[in-house]
Amino acid sequence: MIFQISPKKNIFFRHALDTSKDRGMTLVETIIYIFILTLLLGVIVSSLISFTRSSIALQAGRDVENSAASAFERMTRDIRDAKNIDLGGSIFNISPGTISLNILDENGNSKTIQFYLDGQILHIKENGTNIGSLTRSSAKITNMVFQQISNSLSKAIRISMTRESGSGSSYKSANFYDTVVLRNSYSTQ
């Protein structure tokens, strides 16, 4: 007598031959999928953190550059147009320095312009009244020195400024320098 196993009658054999799509995932498949998903999420989170750090560092650099450029532009224009330097209202060769200038306005009236630090922000005064700040609080000035340069032919001011922004890995610091000759100080010798 030969025994024949019929797939319809044997429950274990019938399950092994079942190829329908209704079967669930095995534990090993589930662990593999979770592992792959965890790796993908790790890569995505790491990329987002890296992107955020880069963005913060770039913003700190932009704050330093932009605020220094606008401050230097205004100081350069006013120093160049000044009649002379108010030595009594100026502080030279130390930080924080102050520069006080005598200027003629568009109507020919005399006015005094003063650039000074209040805390770590550059401010401007006109005829003793605070006009406002020239730099944003997001980037601070840690060093501001004015130097007077004079010879028999002209007068000039050298400006040295150190700007800082950010903190930790996004910290940026830069030194800026400019020398401006007063137009009205040229000698015609």
Side-chain angles (χ1 to χ4, degrees):
M1 221 164 120
I2 299 178
F3 290 121
Q4 215 176 12
I5 300 176
S6 169
K8 293 182 181 177
K9 292 184 183 173
N10 189 328
I11 193 166
F12 298 109
F13 188 67
R14 190 175 51 196
H15 181 66
L17 294 177
D18 187 14
T19 58
S20 71
K21 305 276 185 194
D22 294 338
R23 262 183 51 205
M25 292 189 302
T26 66
L27 181 61
V28 174
E29 288 174 324
T30 304
I31 291 173
I32 290 172
Y33 290 139
I34 290 173
F35 178 74
I36 291 171
L37 201 70
T38 304
L39 283 176
L40 286 173
L41 285 174
V43 168
I44 290 170
V45 168
S46 175
S47 298
L48 286 174
I49 289 171
S50 176
F51 175 74
T52 302
R53 285 183 182 155
S54 296
S55 176
I56 291 170
L58 285 172
Q59 182 63 41
R62 270 194 303 252
D63 285 347
V64 167
E65 296 288 333
N66 290 342
S67 63
S70 64
F72 265 89
E73 182 180 328
R74 175 66 191 261
M75 287 189 293
T76 299
R77 182 172 21 105
D78 285 348
I79 291 170
R80 189 172 290 130
D81 291 341
K83 271 189 345 184
N84 58 35
I85 302 164
D86 178 9
L87 298 175
S90 299
I91 301 171
F92 295 110
N93 302 320
I94 60 169
S95 181
T98 300
I99 186 76
S100 188
L101 307 164
N102 296 317
I103 297 178
L104 292 176
D105 66 9
E106 59 276 349
N107 298 325
N109 300 321
S110 182
K111 67 179 179 179
T112 302
I113 300 286
Q114 186 178 49
F115 297 98
Y116 66 99
L117 284 183
D118 184 11
Q120 295 178 323
I121 299 173
L122 181 63
H123 284 266
I124 182 171
K125 279 185 184 177
E126 187 174 307
N127 291 328
T129 304
N130 187 2
I131 302 287
S133 65
L134 290 178
T135 56
R136 294 183 284 176
S137 60
S138 59
K140 54 191 174 199
I141 299 174
T142 56
N143 182 45
M144 176 76 123
V145 177
F146 296 99
Q147 295 173 316
Q148 182 181 12
I149 303 169
S150 296
N151 61 29
S152 61
L153 300 176
S154 64
K155 292 179 186 173
I157 298 293
R158 182 173 194 270
I159 308 166
S160 303
M161 178 192 302
T162 303
R163 302 277 300 161
E164 296 178 356
S165 183
S167 62
S169 63
S170 65
Y171 172 79
K172 298 290 179 191
S173 176
N175 295 317
F176 299 92
Y177 305 97
D178 197 4
T179 302
V180 185
V181 177
L182 281 73
R183 281 190 189 138
N184 295 321
S185 71
Y186 295 139
S187 176
T188 56
Q189 290 181 351

